[in-house]
Amino acid sequence: MAVLHLVNRAAALDACLAAARDEDAVLLLEDGVYAAVAALAPARPLHALEPDVRARGLSARLADHVTVVDDAAFVRLVEQHQPVVSWR
Amino acid sequence: MAVLHLVNRAAALDACLAAARDEDAVLLLEDGVYAAVAALAPARPLHALEPDVRARGLSARLADHVTVVDDAAFVRLVEQHQPVVSWR
Amino acid sequence: MKFALAVHGAPYSSQSAATALRFARAALAAGHTIPRVFFYHDGVHSACALAVPPQDEPSPQAGWVALAEQHGIELAVCIAASLKRGVVDAGEQHRYDLPASNVHPAFTVVGLGQLLEAIMSSDRFVTFAA
Amino acid sequence: MKFALAVHGAPYSSQSAATALRFARAALAAGHTIPRVFFYHDGVHSACALAVPPQDEPSPQAGWVALAEQHGIELAVCIAASLKRGVVDAGEQHRYDLPASNVHPAFTVVGLGQLLEAIMSSDRFVTFAA
Amino acid sequence: MEAKHILFLLRQPPYATSHALEALEAVLVAGVFDQVVSVLFSGDGVWQLVDGQDGAPLGQRTVAKVAQALPQYDVTNLYVCARSLEQRGLDVGDLALPVQVLDAVEQRTLIAAQHAVVND
Amino acid sequence: MEAKHILFLLRQPPYATSHALEALEAVLVAGVFDQVVSVLFSGDGVWQLVDGQDGAPLGQRTVAKVAQALPQYDVTNLYVCARSLEQRGLDVGDLALPVQVLDAVEQRTLIAAQHAVVND
C-alpha cells in the first residue's frame, strides 16, 4: 500500500521527499502549506489542507500542481494509505 | 556599542549572520550549539555555551574558531553588548 | 475503519490539537470509529480544565469533550508526559500532595502502554505532530 | 547593571526557562540586579504549581522560587498568555468560575505593560526564546 | 526617563502558534509608552503581513488585521526584510499594509541603534 | 492478533525539548508488546546517538544512555539515516551504540513495510 506523508513545517518537506516513493502521497498542513506556494513548491504532486491554505491567504499563491483538499478528503487519504508518517 | 546575537537553533544562524556586523558577537546556545560543529560552522568568530556543548557530547567536535564560554562569560557578553537579539 | 490518533502539541503553541479535532470530526462523519485519542508530549495540555480561551475563539477542549461524549471516544492523557508538565488528576494530586488538580473529567490519565494498545488494535494510526 | 529577562518557552518543550535560570544565577553572582523576570508565551507554564519533575531531575520552578526569595526578584506572568493556557491565580479562578487555581504564590500575574516597564527601566534586556 | 529605542523582531509565521499574535499584542502595548518603537518582519514573520488572510477556518483572529492596527497605536516604524520577501516570491504588492523594505545593511543599522530587541 | 510492524521515526535533537526522551520511553514500552518494532534515527535525531553526551550540566538524563538500553528491551532493529550522518560530519564511529546505516532507498522500503509509524 502507498504511504501518506504529513508535513506540518515547510522546512521538513526535503527530508520527507527523500523518504517518499513516487507512488506515495504528501499532504501539507499547518505551516507545511507554505511549501505549496508557487515560488517554493518542489516539482512533484502535493496535497495541501484547505483550512490552513485559506487562513494564511495562500489560495491564489499556490503552485499549479498542488491539490487543495478539505478535511473529508484528508480522511479519505488516510483510508487509502498505510502507514501515515508525520514530518516536522 | 556592538550587538550580542543569541542563537538557540542551528537553522537560525543564517538569518542571524545576515543581520550581524563583523564587530557583533554571536553566542550559540541550546540547540544552536550544533552549528558550532566543525562540519557545519561558518567561517566567523562564534561563541558556544559550555553546558549545552558538554551535554550534547560536542566538546571534541567543534570548529577551531569557536570559543566555548560558561554562564559567567555569557553574563559578561551581555554587559559588554547592546542590544541583545535572540534568533530561533 | 478504526482510527487511533495521537496529539503531540499544546493549544496555542501548536495547531496539533485543533487539526486533530477537525480530522476526528470528519472521520466520524465518514463512518469511522475512534476508540482512543492519545495526548502525548505537550499534547497533554489539552486536558487542563483551567484554560480560558480568548473571546470569540472556540475552546479547543470543549470540542474534544463534546466529541468524546457523543461518540464514546477515550481521551487518554499520558501520565509520564502530564505529571512533569503540571497536568494532574485527583489521584496524582493526592499521591504527590499537590495543592490542586486540573485534569478535565472527560480525560483519563493512562500509561504509555495504552498508546501501543491503540496502535495495535486500530487500522490506521495518525500522529498530529507538535 | 539592571537586567530584565523574558522567558518564552515552557519547561520540557524548551530549554528557555532552564537557561534563563542559570543566566540569572550567574548575573546575580556577578553583582547585577534583576528586578523582574517576565514569563511570556509558553513561558507562563513555569508558574504552574502542580508539576512533578521526574526523579533525579531538579524542579525548574523551585530554582526560580529560591532565587526570587533570596534576591527580591519579581516573577511576572503575563495574563494574556497565561489565561488561555490554563495558568490561573485565585483571582482569575473566581472571575471565570474555574474549578481550581494553579499559579505558585511566588509568581505574580501581571499585564503586558509590565514587560515594557521592565525593558524601559533596565540596562539590558535578554529574551530566552522558546 | 529618556525614551528608549525598542525593536520588535518578528520572525514567526502566523496561526500555527500564538507567538505572532502575542508579540503583536506586545507591540500595541509598547505604542502607548512614548518610546521609539520599531517593528521588523523577517523570515517566516513576513507571512504575518500577506494579504487575503482569514483566521476563521481555524477559529482564530486574522493576524494581518491585528498588524493593520499598529499605526492607530502610534507604531509607524514598520519594516520588512527584502531577502525574506524575495525568498518567498513576495513583494510589497502582496502585503496587507504599507511597510518599508530594508536590505541587509539597513537592518544591521536598525538593530545596532536599539536599546532593546524583543523577539517572538 | 497478528503482530504489527511499528516504526519509531525519531528526528528531534536531545535536551532542548523532552520529545527525544519521551519518544524513547515509548519505544521501550513497545519492546514488551511482542510487535515488530523498528527505530529510525534521522535528521537532528541522529544527535541522540552521539557518543560522549552527559545530561548532568543541564540537570537532565543522558539521552544516549536511554538509547543504549533499547536492545535490553528487545528492540534490536535500530537504524540511522546515512545522509543525516554525512550532513553533520558524523559516521558510525561517533555513535554510542551499534546501529545499521540505511540509504534513502532502504529507508523508503522500511517505511512502506510498516502498519504504523510513531514520530517524536
Side-chain angles (χ1 to χ4, degrees):
Chain A
M1 213 176 219
V3 178
L4 174 62
H5 296 274
L6 306 180
V7 179
N8 79 348
R9 274 181 181 73
L13 182 57
D14 273 355
C16 165
L17 294 184
R21 301 167 305 173
D22 289 347
E23 65 264 38
D24 293 341
V26 175
L27 172 61
L28 306 171
L29 71 168
E30 303 173 358
D31 278 344
V33 299
Y34 290 120
V37 166
L40 303 172
R44 73 99 80 202
L46 296 168
H47 298 83
L49 198 57
E50 196 265 348
D52 289 315
V53 169
R54 193 144 54 91
R56 288 166 177 80
L58 304 182
S59 302
R61 301 175 208 275
L62 301 186
D64 290 337
H65 58 283
V66 174
T67 308
V68 177
V69 301
D70 63 10
D71 291 327
F74 181 4
V75 171
R76 288 193 295 276
L77 285 169
V78 172
E79 291 169 8
Q80 294 157 7
H81 296 80
Q82 189 179 32
V84 181
V85 186
S86 294
W87 302 83
R88 69 170 183 117
Chain B
M1 214 177 220
V3 178
L4 174 62
H5 297 273
L6 306 181
V7 179
N8 79 348
R9 273 181 180 76
L13 182 56
D14 273 355
C16 165
L17 293 184
R21 302 167 303 172
D22 288 346
E23 65 265 38
D24 294 340
V26 175
L27 172 61
L28 306 171
L29 71 168
E30 303 173 357
D31 278 344
V33 298
Y34 289 119
V37 166
L40 303 172
R44 74 100 78 202
L46 296 168
H47 298 83
L49 198 57
E50 196 265 349
D52 290 315
V53 169
R54 194 144 55 91
R56 289 165 177 80
L58 304 183
S59 302
R61 302 175 207 276
L62 301 186
D64 290 337
H65 58 283
V66 173
T67 308
V68 176
V69 300
D70 63 11
D71 292 327
F74 181 4
V75 171
R76 287 194 295 275
L77 285 168
V78 172
E79 291 169 9
Q80 294 157 6
H81 296 80
Q82 188 178 32
V84 181
V85 186
S86 294
W87 303 83
R88 69 169 183 118
Chain C
M1 281 185 176
K2 274 167 78 170
F3 287 176
L5 311 185
V7 174
H8 284 192
Y12 308 109
S13 73
S14 163
Q15 272 185 261
S16 166
T19 304
L21 180 59
R22 291 204 326 268
F23 179 88
R25 284 181 180 139
L28 295 163
H32 300 293
T33 59
I34 305 176
R36 179 179 296 147
V37 179
F38 193 85
F39 295 86
Y40 198 33
H41 302 301
D42 285 346
V44 299
H45 287 297
S46 278
C48 175
L50 309 182
V52 180
Q55 285 195 322
D56 305 329
E57 291 187 22
S59 157
Q61 186 175 66
W64 286 117
V65 172
L67 214 63
E69 280 175 6
Q70 282 165 33
H71 299 275
I73 299 169
E74 181 186 320
L75 303 176
V77 182
C78 177
I79 188 166
S82 64
L83 199 53
K84 65 172 91 154
R85 289 176 176 85
V87 177
V88 295
D89 65 10
E92 291 153 79
Q93 177 192 354
H94 193 74
R95 186 171 309 119
Y96 294 98
D97 196 22
L98 299 170
S101 67
N102 59 351
V103 167
H104 188 285
F107 290 74
T108 311
V109 178
V110 303
L112 261 175
Q114 299 305 93
L115 169 63
L116 273 297
E117 195 281 327
I119 293 171
M120 287 159 54
S121 61
S122 61
D123 301 300
R124 293 289 184 278
F125 174 65
V126 185
T127 297
F128 294 86
Chain D
M1 281 185 175
K2 273 167 80 172
F3 288 176
L5 310 185
V7 174
H8 284 191
Y12 308 110
S13 71
S14 161
Q15 272 184 261
S16 166
T19 305
L21 179 60
R22 290 204 327 267
F23 179 87
R25 284 182 181 138
L28 294 164
H32 300 294
T33 59
I34 305 175
R36 178 179 295 148
V37 180
F38 194 86
F39 295 86
Y40 198 33
H41 302 300
D42 286 346
V44 299
H45 287 297
S46 279
C48 175
L50 309 181
V52 180
Q55 285 194 322
D56 305 329
E57 290 186 22
S59 156
Q61 186 175 66
W64 286 117
V65 172
L67 214 63
E69 281 175 7
Q70 282 166 35
H71 299 275
I73 300 169
E74 182 186 319
L75 303 175
V77 181
C78 176
I79 188 165
S82 64
L83 198 54
K84 65 171 92 151
R85 289 176 175 85
V87 177
V88 294
D89 65 11
E92 291 154 78
Q93 175 192 357
H94 193 74
R95 187 171 308 117
Y96 294 98
D97 196 22
L98 300 170
S101 65
N102 59 350
V103 166
H104 188 286
F107 291 75
T108 311
V109 178
V110 304
L112 262 174
Q114 298 305 93
L115 170 62
L116 274 297
E117 196 280 328
I119 293 170
M120 286 159 53
S121 61
S122 61
D123 300 299
R124 293 290 184 279
F125 173 65
V126 185
T127 297
F128 294 86
Chain E
M1 211 155 41
E2 193 196 353
K4 294 229 174 185
H5 291 245
I6 303 173
L7 171 67
F8 289 81
L9 175 61
L10 305 188
R11 293 180 31 81
Q12 301 304 314
Y15 304 111
T17 77
S18 62
H19 275 262
L21 207 54
E22 288 175 347
L24 286 172
E25 286 166 3
V27 179
L28 296 176
V29 170
V32 305
F33 272 84
D34 276 334
Q35 309 296 300
V36 183
V37 174
S38 306
V39 185
L40 171 58
F41 295 87
S42 119
D44 282 332
V46 304
W47 292 120
Q48 297 180 30
L49 300 173
V50 164
D51 201 15
Q53 294 173 45
D54 176 12
L58 305 180
Q60 295 189 35
R61 290 165 68 194
T62 299
V63 172
K65 288 229 159 68
V66 180
Q68 283 171 327
L70 292 172
Q72 297 159 39
Y73 286 75
D74 293 327
V75 180
T76 53
N77 301 320
L78 303 177
Y79 306 105
V80 64
C81 167
R83 181 165 160 257
S84 302
L85 285 179
E86 278 162 34
Q87 285 172 336
R88 289 159 184 80
L90 300 171
D91 61 44
V92 287
D94 292 301
L95 307 185
L97 61 162
V99 290
Q100 194 178 331
V101 180
L102 298 190
D103 65 23
V105 173
E106 291 167 322
Q107 290 176 58
R108 283 174 216 150
T109 305
L110 176 69
I111 290 170
Q114 305 301 318
H115 291 100
V117 175
V118 186
N119 81 296
D120 60 357
Chain F
M1 210 153 43
E2 194 194 351
K4 295 231 175 183
H5 291 244
I6 303 173
L7 171 67
F8 288 81
L9 176 61
L10 305 189
R11 292 180 32 80
Q12 301 305 313
Y15 304 112
T17 77
S18 63
H19 275 263
L21 207 55
E22 289 175 347
L24 286 173
E25 285 166 2
V27 179
L28 296 176
V29 170
V32 305
F33 273 85
D34 276 335
Q35 309 295 302
V36 183
V37 174
S38 306
V39 184
L40 171 59
F41 296 87
S42 117
D44 282 333
V46 304
W47 292 119
Q48 297 181 31
L49 300 172
V50 164
D51 202 14
Q53 294 174 45
D54 176 13
L58 305 180
Q60 295 189 33
R61 290 164 68 193
T62 300
V63 172
K65 287 230 161 67
V66 180
Q68 283 172 327
L70 292 172
Q72 296 159 38
Y73 286 75
D74 292 329
V75 180
T76 53
N77 302 319
L78 303 177
Y79 306 106
V80 64
C81 166
R83 181 166 159 258
S84 302
L85 286 179
E86 278 162 33
Q87 284 172 337
R88 290 160 184 78
L90 300 171
D91 61 42
V92 287
D94 292 299
L95 307 184
L97 62 161
V99 291
Q100 195 179 330
V101 181
L102 298 189
D103 65 23
V105 172
E106 291 167 323
Q107 290 176 57
R108 284 174 214 149
T109 305
L110 176 69
I111 290 171
Q114 305 301 317
H115 291 100
V117 175
V118 186
N119 81 296
D120 61 358

